[in-house]
Amino acid sequence: MDTSQEAPKTPRPSLASLEKKAYWLGLLLLASGLHVFEAAMPSLGPWFKLGLANIITLIALASMGPKAAASLAIGRVVIGSFFIGTMFTPTFIISLSATLASTATMLLAWRFVPRISLIGISLLGALAHMCSQFIVVEQLFIQQVALYYLLPPLLVLSCATGWLNGALATYITAQLNIRSR
Amino acid sequence: MLLLIALIAIGISWQWLHQHLSGTPMVYIYHGKALLATYPLNPEKPIHFEAHGDIGLSEITIDKQGVRITHSSCATQRCVLSGHRHRIGGILACVPNRILVSIQGSQKQPLDAISE
């Protein structure tokens, strides 16, 4: 009696598809590492971070497209929060919602603003991140509009970090010979 | 170009906010929507206030240097590390405990109420 069963045949993934997945995973690990590194850095202020991990999101956007960039941004917040120990805390809720808002803004800018550079996308993302962070804190936790007194100076700092991260992402994509469009 | 537009918009909103921040500096302490206490910013004697938040106590001290959160039940202690605030518009917040300390301008002089 022949008891051997034939294994169901699944199509073998192409090398190009595996390479793409590995590249995305590498970027995800890099972004998560930067997220953790930034949390361990001495704080530049209670509401302010450099947003270095966003450089990787910009590189993913330029090299792999909007879907890969969005999943990478969300993935690195979840993985990063797990390692920092802030999973499901107010910090995680603020971080995730601000990341969703900034990623959506960056993808919309990428899709609908003709000839926008990575610096412009990064700048809009940084501003959206800061604004959404304040809206979430005001709506869910503090519930006082006085909180918004802090917003204008922090938006100025966001402009600086958004520009810097965009410039770094542009430099890295140029070095990697990635065409941004 | 985008950077310039963003900076101009921020500058205008900043200016608008500061027009609404005049008067005698007063410290307002909130827990969520509830106003817990109001004190003048530079009291003769230091004031210690214990604000009961969602996760425990936040101790607030108001003295000649300004206002600061001296102790908090939160894990990160970012509110304590924020240090002093001594100008109108200054904000200290403990997000996990839902405590906000805000320095705002009171249009009325606080002593008027006593002299009347």
Side-chain angles (χ1 to χ4, degrees):
Chain A
M1 198 170 87
D2 185 20
T3 55
S4 66
Q5 287 181 345
E6 267 192 33
K9 281 185 181 174
T10 49
R12 213 170 168 173
S14 68
L15 190 61
S17 133
L18 284 175
E19 258 181 11
K20 201 177 169 188
K21 280 178 185 164
Y23 180 71
W24 182 85
L25 201 60
L27 288 179
L28 176 67
L29 292 176
L30 198 56
S32 304
L34 279 172
H35 188 99
V36 175
F37 169 74
E38 220 177 323
M41 270 172 75
S43 179
L44 300 171
W47 302 86
F48 182 71
K49 278 184 176 183
L50 290 170
L52 295 173
N54 201 42
I55 296 170
I56 311 299
T57 309
L58 289 167
I59 294 169
L61 182 64
S63 60
M64 303 183 81
K67 272 185 191 171
S71 51
L72 185 127
I74 296 162
R76 66 113 172 140
V77 171
V78 175
I79 295 169
S81 301
F82 180 77
F83 280 105
I84 299 164
T86 57
M87 189 70 105
F88 305 125
T89 63
T91 309
F92 173 75
I93 296 165
I94 297 162
S95 181
L96 186 63
S97 47
T99 301
L100 286 172
S102 71
T103 308
T105 307
M106 291 195 297
L107 298 190
L108 287 172
W110 168 264
R111 176 74 182 79
F112 294 110
V113 182
R115 289 188 300 162
I116 192 167
S117 65
L118 279 183
I119 294 177
I121 293 170
S122 173
L123 186 66
L124 288 174
L127 292 174
H129 192 279
M130 188 58 78
C131 289
S132 54
Q133 185 172 272
F134 269 78
I135 291 166
V136 169
V137 170
E138 196 268 318
Q139 289 293 317
L140 296 183
F141 301 105
I142 300 294
Q143 294 170 320
Q144 291 295 330
V145 286
L147 192 71
Y148 290 107
Y149 293 156
L150 265 183
L151 188 57
L154 288 172
L155 283 178
V156 173
L157 286 174
S158 288
C159 283
T161 55
W163 186 89
L164 187 71
N165 289 339
L168 281 169
T170 306
Y171 174 76
I172 293 167
T173 48
Q175 292 300 308
L176 294 172
N177 286 324
I178 297 166
R179 285 186 64 193
S180 62
R181 287 265 176 173
Chain B
M1 184 64 186
L2 204 59
L3 182 64
L4 194 67
I5 294 167
L7 286 173
I8 289 168
I10 293 163
I12 291 167
S13 63
W14 203 337
Q15 190 64 35
W16 182 83
L17 269 178
H18 276 263
Q19 280 173 357
H20 293 76
L21 294 171
S22 57
T24 309
M26 299 288 289
V27 178
Y28 292 80
I29 303 166
Y30 299 95
H31 171 229
K33 285 182 181 170
L35 177 64
L36 300 178
T38 311
Y39 294 105
L41 180 61
N42 296 306
E44 289 298 316
K45 288 179 181 174
I47 295 166
H48 300 280
F49 182 80
E50 288 185 345
H52 293 263
D54 278 19
I55 58 165
L57 278 178
S58 290
E59 284 178 24
I60 296 145
T61 301
I62 310 164
D63 55 22
K64 292 284 178 196
Q65 287 180 296
V67 57
R68 69 184 194 277
I69 297 177
T70 42
H71 173 78
S72 175
S73 305
C74 65
T76 58
Q77 298 287 302
R78 280 185 183 168
C79 51
V80 177
L81 296 169
S82 297
H84 283 91
R85 294 288 180 273
H86 50 84
R87 285 195 193 128
I88 292 177
I91 297 275
L92 289 166
C94 181
V95 175
N97 214 13
R98 294 181 62 220
I99 297 291
L100 178 78
V101 180
S102 164
I103 306 174
Q104 297 172 29
S106 161
Q107 295 301 328
K108 265 192 172 181
Q109 292 287 328
L111 289 175
D112 286 356
I114 298 167
S115 62
E116 276 169 4

